[in-house]
Amino acid sequence: MPKIQVNGVQLNYVERGSGTPLVLVHGFPLDQSMWIGQIDALAADCRVIVPDLRGFGASDVVPGTATMAQMAEDLAGLLDALAISEPVVFCGLSMGGYVAWQFALKALALEKRHRLAKLILCDTRAIADTPEAAAGRLKTAEKVLAEGSTVVAEAMMPKLFAPATANEQPSVVESTRQVILNTKPEGIVAALRGMAERPDVSARLAEFTIPALLICGEHDSISPPAEMRGIAEKMPTARFVEIAGAGHMAPLEKPDSVNAAIREFLKQE
């Protein structure tokens, strides 16, 4: 897989297909492999670009804090490096959704309105962390520095999948666990710090006037369907799709259903 130097880091990415650029951004603490069910399937319809965010996968790790705005700037730089000048469809899951909000806010500024055509938000939130949640992330970060990535794997794995997924797709669950275990602790820590200080965008939802699709697993306990439906209702041109039988990792658990929703959205003017 190729890498590109952007903002002082080497970003690893996958690219398939041609046509409208579709950027797929992974969640925490994962990498581009979580989109395995989308990459080739959607490449028949568009140019799929799937990066590893800084600190994750095969991209460089920069110790410190990786803010959501910094990650969004990285991806804007990646698109520039790939000479992509047409508007993109930007899709992010969970932490990737936090990055998507920041990318969209920057792109919707008058001088960069040409950058973004449509927005897809999967299993994510618009609110910021509460002070207690932010403190919990920072405490976890310290524990990861001391004990390693296992800390996050043990904490997150029970929350990621629908109850049936462990029985019906054990290989999917185990491969996800391995991705987390293989993620560098410094990358996990930098992202935890960045998520803890991410801005609240819930009061700005009316500003997202571009077409938007919000996707959420039926059994998502991290970003519940009712919460995501409420976000969609506050966005002028958004539609909400609930994925039956899926949890927080809807694209990985139910790829066909998610792909169908994305394809239908891409067709819309």
Side-chain angles (χ1 to χ4, degrees):
M1 291 180 283
K3 293 186 179 183
I4 287 181
Q5 182 83 11
V6 176
N7 294 335
V9 297
Q10 290 275 341
L11 290 185
N12 179 66
Y13 69 99
V14 173
E15 185 175 10
R16 299 278 192 279
S18 61
T20 299
L22 170 64
V23 182
L24 302 175
V25 185
H26 63 80
F28 171 89
L30 306 170
D31 62 15
Q32 51 79 24
S33 66
M34 64 147 286
W35 299 105
I36 190 171
Q38 285 69 51
I39 294 172
D40 289 333
L42 295 177
D45 304 289
C46 50
R47 181 181 179 182
V48 181
I49 300 159
V50 195
D52 286 332
L53 294 169
R54 60 166 59 207
F56 296 92
S59 290
D60 286 351
V61 177
V62 179
T65 300
T67 68
M68 304 301 100
Q70 175 65 75
M71 291 180 177
E73 285 294 328
D74 290 346
L75 299 184
L78 176 63
L79 295 174
D80 288 340
L82 293 174
I84 294 175
S85 57
E86 69 249 61
V88 304
V89 179
F90 196 105
C91 173
L93 178 137
S94 196
M95 181 181 72
Y98 305 156
V99 176
W101 292 123
Q102 298 308 307
F103 185 94
L105 284 170
K106 190 72 175 287
L108 291 174
L110 188 60
E111 70 273 12
K112 292 194 174 183
R113 187 169 289 271
H114 66 280
R115 174 64 94 184
L116 186 63
K118 296 182 177 182
L119 188 62
I120 304 174
L121 297 154
C122 299
D123 299 276
T124 194
R125 312 185 79 184
I127 59 174
D129 277 356
T130 64
E132 294 77 16
R137 288 196 200 272
L138 298 180
K139 185 177 180 180
T140 299
E142 292 304 313
K143 195 172 182 182
V144 170
L145 283 177
E147 302 177 23
S149 304
T150 304
V151 170
V152 172
E154 291 177 351
M156 291 202 64
M157 285 302 299
K159 305 175 185 178
L160 292 182
F161 296 99
T165 303
N167 295 325
E168 298 172 1
Q169 303 182 72
S171 62
V172 168
V173 175
E174 181 55 29
S175 64
T176 301
R177 181 190 304 276
Q178 291 303 316
V179 168
I180 297 174
L181 291 174
N182 290 331
T183 300
K184 300 175 185 69
E186 295 83 1
I188 290 175
V189 168
L192 281 168
R193 291 170 176 163
M195 287 189 289
E197 64 178 60
R198 75 184 189 277
D200 191 321
V201 299
S202 57
R204 304 188 65 179
L205 295 175
E207 298 177 32
F208 295 87
T209 55
I210 58 170
L213 171 66
L214 277 74
I215 296 173
C216 187
E218 176 188 8
H219 303 291
D220 189 343
S221 62
I222 298 175
S223 47
E227 182 177 336
M228 288 205 70
R229 186 180 291 108
I231 294 171
E233 289 171 352
K234 294 176 182 177
M235 298 172 71
T237 58
R239 63 186 299 260
F240 173 78
V241 174
E242 184 173 309
I243 304 299
H248 190 63
M249 298 299 297
L252 193 53
E253 296 173 84
K254 298 292 181 181
D256 291 345
S257 298
V258 170
N259 293 349
I262 292 175
R263 285 195 187 97
E264 180 63 29
F265 181 61
L266 291 173
K267 292 177 185 176
Q268 297 172 4
E269 295 297 329

